[in-house]
Amino acid sequence: MKIFGDIISPFVRMTLVCAHEAGLGEKVVLAEAKVSPVEANGSLVAVAPLGKIPVLITDHGHAVYDSRVIMEYLCHVAGNSTLIPDDGVKRFRVLTLQALAQGMGDASVGYRYETGVRPKELQWAGWIARQRARVKDSLDDLDRNWSATLAEVNVGSIAVAVVLDYIDFRMPDWAWAEGRQNLKAFHADFSKRPSMTRYPLPPK
Ligand SMILES: N[C@@H](CCC(=O)N[C@@H](CS)C(=O)NCC(=O)O)C(=O)O
């Protein structure tokens, strides 16, 4: 299986970490694909019309996206029922945690595009502030209300750990760990997992 993407993308990295946690680390290769919010990557669009990363190409040649579906696909292929538990209560807690982390990923990547890529004169201050506030509220919620689900390895805790790394990488001035001891401890611990160290972010 091949995953098209760029390791800096939190959505790409979470699928690779998930593959490793599901025991498929040796079966998945990362195929470098760069994207921009304003220019289509033609070879990516040829397999997935949205032109976003990640895209997984199965051994049968089918394209699977987006990151949420790829993680579910990997669990399915591996026969893994711990990363996305079967049990109803746990399952929807984990999937909601994953949705929270992915929403933070969307807001953080959007913030980065708006502040780092968009021409200054076109930037929308109110929109930028809203993305930052959305992430701040989510970080507070993670610190207060999610310790039990974060204590287990699942698609939610994977997504949270990876998005926190992305924020550290792109927006270190946000200092997300300040005043959030529970989340900081989770991140420090989870970052030591072989699945995380196997796919490090590049040096800045
Ligand atoms: N919902 C998608 C989001 C993926 C996404 O936004 N990827 C970004 C890179 S981090 C991208 O492809 N950006 C290019 C674009 O917006 O055209 C997922 O979970 O896979």
Short mmCIF file of all heavy atoms in Angstrom, two decimals, residues 121-155:
data_model
loop_
_atom_site.label_atom_id
_atom_site.label_comp_id
_atom_site.label_asym_id
_atom_site.label_seq_id
_atom_site.Cartn_x
_atom_site.Cartn_y
_atom_site.Cartn_z
N GLU A 121 -2.20 41.46 2.02
CA GLU A 121 -3.32 42.40 1.81
C GLU A 121 -4.67 41.68 1.68
O GLU A 121 -5.73 42.32 1.77
CB GLU A 121 -3.05 43.31 0.60
CG GLU A 121 -2.99 42.62 -0.76
CD GLU A 121 -1.64 41.96 -1.09
OE1 GLU A 121 -0.79 41.84 -0.18
OE2 GLU A 121 -1.46 41.54 -2.25
N LEU A 122 -4.64 40.35 1.48
CA LEU A 122 -5.90 39.61 1.36
C LEU A 122 -6.28 38.88 2.65
O LEU A 122 -7.32 38.24 2.73
CB LEU A 122 -5.78 38.58 0.22
CG LEU A 122 -5.56 39.14 -1.18
CD1 LEU A 122 -5.42 38.01 -2.19
CD2 LEU A 122 -6.71 40.06 -1.57
N GLN A 123 -5.42 38.96 3.66
CA GLN A 123 -5.68 38.20 4.88
C GLN A 123 -6.89 38.76 5.64
O GLN A 123 -7.13 39.97 5.63
CB GLN A 123 -4.43 38.20 5.77
CG GLN A 123 -3.33 37.32 5.18
CD GLN A 123 -2.05 37.33 5.99
OE1 GLN A 123 -2.02 37.82 7.11
NE2 GLN A 123 -0.99 36.80 5.41
N TRP A 124 -7.61 37.86 6.29
CA TRP A 124 -8.85 38.22 6.98
C TRP A 124 -8.63 38.00 8.49
O TRP A 124 -8.64 36.87 8.97
CB TRP A 124 -9.97 37.32 6.44
CG TRP A 124 -11.33 37.58 6.96
CD1 TRP A 124 -11.73 38.56 7.83
CD2 TRP A 124 -12.52 36.85 6.64
NE1 TRP A 124 -13.07 38.48 8.06
CE2 TRP A 124 -13.58 37.45 7.36
CE3 TRP A 124 -12.78 35.74 5.83
CZ2 TRP A 124 -14.88 36.96 7.28
CZ3 TRP A 124 -14.08 35.26 5.76
CH2 TRP A 124 -15.12 35.88 6.47
N ALA A 125 -8.42 39.12 9.18
CA ALA A 125 -8.03 39.06 10.59
C ALA A 125 -9.06 38.33 11.44
O ALA A 125 -8.71 37.53 12.32
CB ALA A 125 -7.80 40.47 11.13
N GLY A 126 -10.34 38.57 11.17
CA GLY A 126 -11.40 37.94 11.97
C GLY A 126 -11.39 36.42 11.81
O GLY A 126 -11.57 35.67 12.77
N TRP A 127 -11.16 35.97 10.59
CA TRP A 127 -11.13 34.52 10.32
C TRP A 127 -9.91 33.88 11.00
O TRP A 127 -10.00 32.81 11.60
CB TRP A 127 -11.09 34.29 8.81
CG TRP A 127 -11.27 32.86 8.42
CD1 TRP A 127 -12.45 32.22 8.19
CD2 TRP A 127 -10.25 31.89 8.24
NE1 TRP A 127 -12.22 30.90 7.87
CE2 TRP A 127 -10.87 30.67 7.91
CE3 TRP A 127 -8.85 31.92 8.35
CZ2 TRP A 127 -10.16 29.50 7.66
CZ3 TRP A 127 -8.13 30.75 8.11
CH2 TRP A 127 -8.79 29.56 7.76
N ILE A 128 -8.78 34.60 10.91
CA ILE A 128 -7.55 34.09 11.54
C ILE A 128 -7.77 33.94 13.05
O ILE A 128 -7.45 32.90 13.64
CB ILE A 128 -6.37 35.05 11.25
CG1 ILE A 128 -6.01 35.02 9.77
CG2 ILE A 128 -5.16 34.71 12.11
CD1 ILE A 128 -5.03 36.09 9.33
N ALA A 129 -8.36 34.96 13.65
CA ALA A 129 -8.59 34.93 15.11
C ALA A 129 -9.54 33.80 15.48
O ALA A 129 -9.38 33.14 16.51
CB ALA A 129 -9.15 36.27 15.57
N ARG A 130 -10.54 33.55 14.63
CA ARG A 130 -11.51 32.48 14.92
C ARG A 130 -10.85 31.10 14.91
O ARG A 130 -11.17 30.24 15.73
CB ARG A 130 -12.67 32.55 13.91
CG ARG A 130 -13.72 31.50 14.12
CD ARG A 130 -14.51 31.72 15.43
NE ARG A 130 -15.27 30.54 15.78
CZ ARG A 130 -15.06 29.78 16.86
NH1 ARG A 130 -14.12 30.11 17.74
NH2 ARG A 130 -15.80 28.72 17.08
N GLN A 131 -9.92 30.90 13.97
CA GLN A 131 -9.23 29.59 13.92
C GLN A 131 -8.40 29.38 15.18
O GLN A 131 -8.38 28.31 15.77
CB GLN A 131 -8.34 29.46 12.68
CG GLN A 131 -9.04 29.68 11.36
CD GLN A 131 -10.45 29.10 11.33
OE1 GLN A 131 -10.66 27.92 11.58
NE2 GLN A 131 -11.43 29.94 11.01
N ARG A 132 -7.73 30.45 15.57
CA ARG A 132 -6.88 30.34 16.76
C ARG A 132 -7.73 30.06 18.00
O ARG A 132 -7.39 29.24 18.85
CB ARG A 132 -6.07 31.63 16.92
CG ARG A 132 -5.19 31.56 18.11
CD ARG A 132 -3.81 32.05 17.88
NE ARG A 132 -3.02 31.77 19.07
CZ ARG A 132 -2.03 32.48 19.47
NH1 ARG A 132 -1.64 33.51 18.77
NH2 ARG A 132 -1.36 32.15 20.55
N ALA A 133 -8.87 30.75 18.09
CA ALA A 133 -9.76 30.56 19.25
C ALA A 133 -10.34 29.14 19.25
O ALA A 133 -10.47 28.50 20.30
CB ALA A 133 -10.89 31.58 19.21
N ARG A 134 -10.65 28.64 18.07
CA ARG A 134 -11.20 27.27 17.96
C ARG A 134 -10.19 26.26 18.50
O ARG A 134 -10.54 25.34 19.24
CB ARG A 134 -11.48 26.98 16.48
CG ARG A 134 -12.45 25.88 16.20
CD ARG A 134 -12.40 25.45 14.75
NE ARG A 134 -12.64 26.48 13.76
CZ ARG A 134 -13.85 26.96 13.42
NH1 ARG A 134 -14.93 26.53 14.03
NH2 ARG A 134 -13.97 27.86 12.47
N VAL A 135 -8.92 26.46 18.13
CA VAL A 135 -7.88 25.53 18.61
C VAL A 135 -7.69 25.70 20.11
O VAL A 135 -7.57 24.71 20.85
CB VAL A 135 -6.56 25.75 17.84
CG1 VAL A 135 -5.45 24.89 18.42
CG2 VAL A 135 -6.75 25.44 16.36
N LYS A 136 -7.69 26.93 20.58
CA LYS A 136 -7.50 27.18 22.02
C LYS A 136 -8.61 26.50 22.83
O LYS A 136 -8.34 25.80 23.81
CB LYS A 136 -7.48 28.69 22.29
CG LYS A 136 -7.19 29.02 23.74
CD LYS A 136 -7.56 30.45 24.09
CE LYS A 136 -7.66 30.64 25.59
NZ LYS A 136 -8.72 29.87 26.24
N ASP A 137 -9.86 26.66 22.42
CA ASP A 137 -10.99 26.04 23.13
C ASP A 137 -10.86 24.51 23.11
O ASP A 137 -11.17 23.83 24.08
CB ASP A 137 -12.32 26.45 22.49
CG ASP A 137 -12.64 27.92 22.74
OD1 ASP A 137 -12.04 28.53 23.64
OD2 ASP A 137 -13.48 28.47 22.00
N SER A 138 -10.39 23.99 21.98
CA SER A 138 -10.24 22.53 21.85
C SER A 138 -9.12 22.03 22.76
O SER A 138 -9.25 20.97 23.40
CB SER A 138 -9.93 22.16 20.40
OG SER A 138 -10.93 22.66 19.55
N LEU A 139 -8.03 22.77 22.84
CA LEU A 139 -6.91 22.38 23.72
C LEU A 139 -7.38 22.37 25.18
O LEU A 139 -7.06 21.44 25.94
CB LEU A 139 -5.75 23.37 23.56
CG LEU A 139 -4.97 23.31 22.24
CD1 LEU A 139 -4.10 24.55 22.07
CD2 LEU A 139 -4.12 22.04 22.16
N ASP A 140 -8.17 23.37 25.56
CA ASP A 140 -8.68 23.42 26.94
C ASP A 140 -9.57 22.21 27.22
O ASP A 140 -9.48 21.58 28.27
CB ASP A 140 -9.48 24.71 27.17
CG ASP A 140 -8.56 25.93 27.23
OD1 ASP A 140 -7.35 25.77 27.46
OD2 ASP A 140 -9.08 27.06 27.03
N ASP A 141 -10.41 21.87 26.24
CA ASP A 141 -11.31 20.73 26.42
C ASP A 141 -10.51 19.42 26.52
O ASP A 141 -10.80 18.56 27.36
CB ASP A 141 -12.28 20.69 25.22
CG ASP A 141 -13.37 19.66 25.42
OD1 ASP A 141 -14.04 19.70 26.47
OD2 ASP A 141 -13.54 18.79 24.54
N LEU A 142 -9.49 19.29 25.67
CA LEU A 142 -8.66 18.08 25.72
C LEU A 142 -7.98 17.95 27.08
O LEU A 142 -7.89 16.86 27.64
CB LEU A 142 -7.58 18.15 24.63
CG LEU A 142 -8.04 17.89 23.20
CD1 LEU A 142 -6.90 18.18 22.22
CD2 LEU A 142 -8.53 16.46 23.03
N ASP A 143 -7.51 19.06 27.60
CA ASP A 143 -6.80 19.03 28.88
C ASP A 143 -7.73 18.65 30.02
O ASP A 143 -7.34 17.94 30.95
CB ASP A 143 -6.18 20.42 29.13
CG ASP A 143 -5.25 20.41 30.32
OD1 ASP A 143 -4.30 19.59 30.31
OD2 ASP A 143 -5.48 21.19 31.27
N ARG A 144 -9.00 19.08 29.93
CA ARG A 144 -9.93 18.89 31.05
C ARG A 144 -10.72 17.60 30.98
O ARG A 144 -11.01 17.00 32.01
CB ARG A 144 -10.96 20.03 31.05
CG ARG A 144 -10.37 21.35 31.48
CD ARG A 144 -11.49 22.37 31.77
NE ARG A 144 -10.91 23.70 31.71
CZ ARG A 144 -11.30 24.66 30.87
NH1 ARG A 144 -12.29 24.44 30.04
NH2 ARG A 144 -10.70 25.84 30.89
N ASN A 145 -11.09 17.19 29.76
CA ASN A 145 -12.17 16.19 29.67
C ASN A 145 -11.85 14.89 28.95
O ASN A 145 -12.75 14.07 28.78
CB ASN A 145 -13.39 16.84 28.97
CG ASN A 145 -13.88 18.05 29.72
OD1 ASN A 145 -13.95 18.03 30.94
ND2 ASN A 145 -14.21 19.11 29.01
N TRP A 146 -10.62 14.72 28.50
CA TRP A 146 -10.37 13.57 27.63
C TRP A 146 -9.30 12.61 28.14
O TRP A 146 -8.83 11.74 27.39
CB TRP A 146 -10.02 14.04 26.22
CG TRP A 146 -11.21 14.59 25.50
CD1 TRP A 146 -11.60 15.89 25.43
CD2 TRP A 146 -12.18 13.85 24.74
NE1 TRP A 146 -12.74 16.02 24.67
CE2 TRP A 146 -13.12 14.77 24.24
CE3 TRP A 146 -12.34 12.49 24.44
CZ2 TRP A 146 -14.20 14.39 23.46
CZ3 TRP A 146 -13.42 12.10 23.66
CH2 TRP A 146 -14.34 13.05 23.18
N SER A 147 -8.88 12.75 29.41
CA SER A 147 -7.73 11.97 29.89
C SER A 147 -7.92 10.46 29.71
O SER A 147 -6.98 9.76 29.31
CB SER A 147 -7.43 12.30 31.35
OG SER A 147 -7.01 13.63 31.41
N ALA A 148 -9.13 9.96 29.99
CA ALA A 148 -9.32 8.50 29.93
C ALA A 148 -9.15 7.99 28.50
O ALA A 148 -8.51 6.96 28.27
CB ALA A 148 -10.71 8.14 30.45
N THR A 149 -9.70 8.70 27.53
CA THR A 149 -9.61 8.22 26.13
C THR A 149 -8.20 8.44 25.59
O THR A 149 -7.69 7.65 24.79
CB THR A 149 -10.67 8.93 25.26
OG1 THR A 149 -11.92 8.87 25.95
CG2 THR A 149 -10.83 8.25 23.91
N LEU A 150 -7.56 9.52 26.06
CA LEU A 150 -6.18 9.77 25.62
C LEU A 150 -5.20 8.75 26.22
O LEU A 150 -4.13 8.53 25.67
CB LEU A 150 -5.74 11.19 26.02
CG LEU A 150 -6.36 12.35 25.22
CD1 LEU A 150 -5.99 13.69 25.85
CD2 LEU A 150 -5.90 12.30 23.76
N ALA A 151 -5.59 8.14 27.33
CA ALA A 151 -4.69 7.19 27.98
C ALA A 151 -4.55 5.90 27.17
O ALA A 151 -3.65 5.09 27.42
CB ALA A 151 -5.19 6.87 29.39
N GLU A 152 -5.45 5.70 26.20
CA GLU A 152 -5.38 4.49 25.38
C GLU A 152 -4.89 4.85 23.98
O GLU A 152 -5.01 5.99 23.55
CB GLU A 152 -6.75 3.84 25.31
CG GLU A 152 -7.08 3.17 26.64
CD GLU A 152 -8.54 2.81 26.80
OE1 GLU A 152 -9.31 3.02 25.86
OE2 GLU A 152 -8.87 2.31 27.88
N VAL A 153 -4.32 3.83 23.29
CA VAL A 153 -3.86 4.08 21.92
C VAL A 153 -5.03 3.79 20.99
O VAL A 153 -5.51 2.66 20.91
CB VAL A 153 -2.65 3.18 21.58
CG1 VAL A 153 -2.19 3.45 20.16
CG2 VAL A 153 -1.52 3.43 22.57
N ASN A 154 -5.52 4.83 20.35
CA ASN A 154 -6.65 4.69 19.44
C ASN A 154 -6.53 5.79 18.38
O ASN A 154 -5.63 6.63 18.47
CB ASN A 154 -7.97 4.77 20.23
CG ASN A 154 -8.05 6.03 21.08
OD1 ASN A 154 -7.92 7.12 20.55
ND2 ASN A 154 -8.22 5.88 22.39
N VAL A 155 -7.43 5.79 17.41
CA VAL A 155 -7.30 6.78 16.33
C VAL A 155 -7.45 8.22 16.84
O VAL A 155 -6.92 9.15 16.23
CB VAL A 155 -8.30 6.51 15.16
CG1 VAL A 155 -7.95 5.23 14.44
CG2 VAL A 155 -9.74 6.53 15.63
#
